[in-house]
Coordinates of all heavy atoms in Angstrom, one line a residue:
A200 N -6.6 -16.6 -9.7 CA -6.6 -17.0 -11.2 C -6.1 -18.4 -11.3 O -4.9 -18.7 -10.8 CB -5.9 -16.0 -12.0
D201 N -6.8 -19.3 -11.9 CA -6.4 -20.7 -12.1 C -6.0 -21.3 -10.8 O -4.9 -22.0 -10.6 CB -5.1 -20.7 -13.0 CG -5.5 -20.2 -14.4 OD1 -6.7 -20.3 -14.8 OD2 -4.7 -19.6 -15.1
E202 N -6.8 -21.1 -9.7 CA -6.7 -21.7 -8.4 C -5.4 -21.2 -7.7 O -4.9 -21.8 -6.7 CB -6.6 -23.2 -8.5 CG -7.8 -23.8 -9.2 CD -9.1 -23.4 -8.4 OE1 -9.1 -23.4 -7.1 OE2 -10.2 -23.2 -9.1
E203 N -4.8 -20.1 -8.2 CA -3.6 -19.5 -7.5 C -3.9 -18.0 -7.2 O -4.6 -17.3 -8.0 CB -2.4 -19.6 -8.4 CG -1.9 -21.1 -8.6 CD -0.6 -21.1 -9.3 OE1 0.1 -20.0 -9.4 OE2 -0.2 -22.2 -9.8
L204 N -3.3 -17.5 -6.1 CA -3.5 -16.1 -5.7 C -2.3 -15.4 -6.3 O -1.2 -15.7 -6.0 CB -3.5 -16.0 -4.2 CG -4.1 -14.7 -3.6 CD1 -5.5 -14.6 -4.1 CD2 -4.1 -14.8 -2.1
R205 N -2.6 -14.4 -7.2 CA -1.5 -13.7 -7.8 C -1.8 -12.2 -7.8 O -2.9 -11.7 -7.4 CB -1.5 -14.0 -9.3 CG -1.2 -15.6 -9.6 CD -1.3 -16.0 -11.0 NE -1.0 -17.3 -11.3 CZ -1.2 -18.0 -12.4 NH1 -1.5 -17.3 -13.4 NH2 -0.9 -19.3 -12.5
T206 N -0.8 -11.4 -8.2 CA -0.9 -10.0 -8.2 C -0.8 -9.4 -9.6 O 0.0 -9.8 -10.3 CB 0.2 -9.3 -7.3 OG1 0.1 -9.8 -6.0 CG2 0.2 -7.8 -7.3
Y207 N -1.8 -8.6 -10.0 CA -1.9 -8.0 -11.3 C -1.8 -6.5 -11.2 O -2.5 -5.9 -10.4 CB -3.1 -8.4 -12.0 CG -3.2 -9.9 -12.3 CD1 -3.7 -10.8 -11.3 CD2 -2.8 -10.5 -13.5 CE1 -3.8 -12.1 -11.5 CE2 -2.9 -11.8 -13.7 CZ -3.4 -12.7 -12.8 OH -3.5 -14.0 -13.0
R208 N -1.0 -5.9 -12.1 CA -1.0 -4.4 -12.1 C -2.2 -3.9 -12.9 O -2.3 -4.3 -14.2 CB 0.3 -3.9 -12.7 CG 0.5 -2.5 -12.8 CD 1.9 -2.1 -13.3 NE 2.0 -0.8 -13.9 CZ 3.1 -0.3 -14.4 NH1 4.1 -1.0 -14.5 NH2 3.0 0.9 -14.9
I209 N -3.0 -3.1 -12.3 CA -4.3 -2.7 -13.0 C -4.0 -1.9 -14.2 O -4.8 -1.9 -15.2 CB -5.1 -2.0 -12.0 CG1 -5.5 -2.9 -10.8 CG2 -6.4 -1.4 -12.6 CD1 -6.3 -2.3 -9.7
G210 N -2.9 -1.1 -14.3 CA -2.6 -0.4 -15.4 C -2.3 -1.2 -16.7 O -2.2 -0.6 -17.8
Q211 N -2.0 -2.5 -16.5 CA -1.7 -3.4 -17.6 C -2.9 -4.1 -18.1 O -2.8 -5.0 -19.0 CB -0.6 -4.4 -17.2 CG 0.7 -3.8 -16.7 CD 1.4 -3.1 -17.9 OE1 1.3 -1.9 -18.0 NE2 2.1 -3.8 -18.8
I212 N -4.1 -3.8 -17.6 CA -5.3 -4.4 -18.0 C -5.8 -3.7 -19.3 O -6.0 -2.5 -19.4 CB -6.4 -4.4 -17.0 CG1 -6.0 -5.3 -15.8 CG2 -7.8 -4.8 -17.6 CD1 -7.0 -5.2 -14.6
L213 N -5.9 -4.4 -20.4 CA -6.2 -3.8 -21.7 C -7.7 -3.8 -22.0 O -8.2 -2.9 -22.6 CB -5.6 -4.6 -22.8 CG -4.0 -4.7 -22.7 CD1 -3.5 -5.6 -23.8 CD2 -3.4 -3.4 -22.7
A214 N -8.4 -4.8 -21.4 CA -9.9 -4.9 -21.6 C -10.4 -5.6 -20.4 O -9.8 -6.4 -19.7 CB -10.3 -5.6 -22.8
L215 N -11.7 -5.3 -20.0 CA -12.3 -5.9 -18.8 C -13.8 -6.1 -19.0 O -14.4 -5.2 -19.6 CB -12.0 -5.0 -17.6 CG -12.5 -5.5 -16.2 CD1 -11.6 -5.1 -15.1 CD2 -13.9 -5.0 -15.9
E216 N -14.3 -7.2 -18.5 CA -15.7 -7.4 -18.6 C -16.2 -8.1 -17.2 O -15.5 -9.0 -16.7 CB -16.1 -8.4 -19.7 CG -17.5 -8.7 -19.8 CD -17.8 -9.8 -20.9 OE1 -17.0 -9.9 -21.8 OE2 -18.9 -10.4 -20.8
Q217 N -17.1 -7.4 -16.6 CA -17.6 -8.0 -15.4 C -18.6 -9.2 -15.7 O -19.5 -9.2 -16.5 CB -18.4 -7.0 -14.5 CG -18.6 -7.4 -13.1 CD -19.2 -6.3 -12.3 OE1 -20.4 -6.1 -12.4 NE2 -18.4 -5.7 -11.4
L218 N -18.3 -10.4 -14.9 CA -19.1 -11.5 -15.1 C -20.2 -11.6 -14.1 O -20.2 -10.9 -13.1 CB -18.2 -12.8 -15.0 CG -16.9 -12.8 -15.9 CD1 -16.1 -14.0 -15.7 CD2 -17.3 -12.7 -17.4
D219 N -21.1 -12.5 -14.4 CA -22.3 -12.7 -13.5 C -21.9 -13.6 -12.3 O -22.8 -13.8 -11.4 CB -23.4 -13.3 -14.2 CG -24.0 -12.3 -15.2 OD1 -23.9 -11.1 -15.0 OD2 -24.6 -12.8 -16.3
E220 N -20.7 -14.2 -12.2 CA -20.3 -15.2 -11.2 C -19.9 -14.4 -10.0 O -19.2 -13.4 -10.0 CB -19.2 -16.0 -11.7 CG -19.5 -16.7 -13.1 CD -18.2 -17.2 -13.7 OE1 -17.3 -17.5 -12.9 OE2 -18.2 -17.2 -15.0
V221 N -20.4 -14.8 -8.8 CA -20.1 -14.3 -7.6 C -19.2 -15.3 -6.8 O -19.3 -16.5 -7.0 CB -21.4 -14.0 -6.6 CG1 -21.0 -13.5 -5.3 CG2 -22.3 -13.1 -7.4

Side-chain angles (χ1 to χ4, degrees):
D201 300 328
E202 302 304 319
E203 292 185 17
L204 203 56
R205 300 176 181 173
T206 299
Y207 294 86
R208 182 172 157 187
I209 296 176
Q211 297 297 99
I212 295 177
L213 305 176
L215 181 147
E216 178 183 342
Q217 192 173 77
L218 305 177
D219 293 331
E220 307 163 29
V221 179

